[in-house]
Amino acid sequence: PNKLFGALLVSLALFLLGACTTIPVDERNQIREEVDQVAKTTIEQIVAKDPSIQKALDQATGYAVAGVSATKIPIIGAGYGLALLHDLENDTRTYINVTRFDLGAGVGAARFRVLVIFENRDTLEGFRDGSWQSAMGTEGAIGTQSSSKISLSGDGYTAYVVSDTGVALAATARLIRTSVNEDLTDTGVSEV
């Protein structure tokens, strides 16, 4: 049991170290375009299924769209992705790292997209400035069929989750960490 736990911790540490690498300067524009396209496509698909969401977007302070890949082994899991945070009031774009840690029963690997609509400035700025969010949840995905096609709401936000692909079944306690991706976000300082 201790050897298995140690191996799981080493695997998680290696995953996290790989997720924290610097993005080469010559690849940054392409990655920004890919993240922007995921955001555009995600919003179009979600609004096509429920046109009332467009009204919420029109009235929002801003929104974030993340593409996340997650892997779950029997006890622990982790995921990483990039999000576009669009502040509609200030018309700014910030690229956000999204890291997810799971503890609980389950197995699988899946990719999914999340649209978060921010109803107020404090919630949006908390997301942008970096935060830890905790949640309990269950999810199941087979290919593009997912039981996580749900909406979640909290204090100042509403989130819509859509599965892309994968096979996963999990019931976990989850920590989600957000932080600004300094490589992709224009901070006014030279990229070189």
Side-chain angles (χ1 to χ4, degrees):
N2 287 337
K3 287 183 181 181
L4 176 62
F5 185 71
L8 294 174
L9 286 178
V10 168
S11 298
L12 181 60
L14 290 173
F15 173 82
L16 294 175
L17 286 174
C20 296
T21 59
T22 300
I23 300 170
V25 173
D26 60 338
E27 296 177 17
R28 293 178 185 178
N29 281 336
Q30 178 184 350
I31 293 172
R32 282 185 201 107
E33 289 173 8
E34 290 171 4
V35 173
D36 292 349
Q37 185 59 47
V38 166
K40 181 178 185 266
T41 302
T42 301
I43 291 169
E44 288 171 354
Q45 290 176 345
I46 290 173
V47 169
K49 290 181 181 179
D50 184 352
S52 69
I53 294 171
Q54 185 62 56
K55 182 178 179 184
L57 279 165
D58 293 341
Q59 296 173 346
T61 301
Y63 64 84
V65 179
V68 178
S69 295
T71 302
K72 179 78 179 81
I73 53 180
I75 299 170
I76 63 171
Y80 178 77
L82 288 170
L84 167 65
L85 173 62
H86 190 172
D87 182 330
L88 295 170
E89 291 178 352
N90 296 324
D91 196 26
T92 59
R93 292 174 176 256
T94 306
Y95 295 89
I96 303 289
N97 297 313
V98 179
T99 308
R100 169 179 151 170
F101 306 96
D102 294 325
L103 182 61
V107 66
R111 284 188 325 210
F112 55 93
R113 292 169 288 140
V114 181
L115 166 64
V116 182
I117 300 174
F118 297 102
E119 299 158 9
N120 62 58
R121 170 105 354 241
D122 290 341
T123 307
L124 182 142
E125 288 179 0
F127 183 85
R128 180 181 51 225
D129 294 342
S131 64
W132 286 95
Q133 300 293 324
S134 62
M136 299 289 287
T138 60
E139 60 188 21
I142 299 176
T144 58
Q145 303 302 312
S146 169
S147 65
S148 61
K149 288 184 182 175
I150 56 172
S151 64
L152 309 166
S153 59
D155 189 23
Y157 74 91
T158 303
Y160 304 89
V161 182
V162 179
S163 176
D164 273 341
T165 186
V167 175
L169 181 60
T172 63
R174 183 170 301 143
L175 280 175
I176 300 168
R177 169 78 171 133
T178 60
S179 62
V180 173
N181 185 300
E182 300 291 341
D183 291 339
L184 297 177
T185 301
D186 181 8
T187 59
V189 179
S190 172
E191 290 185 336
V192 179

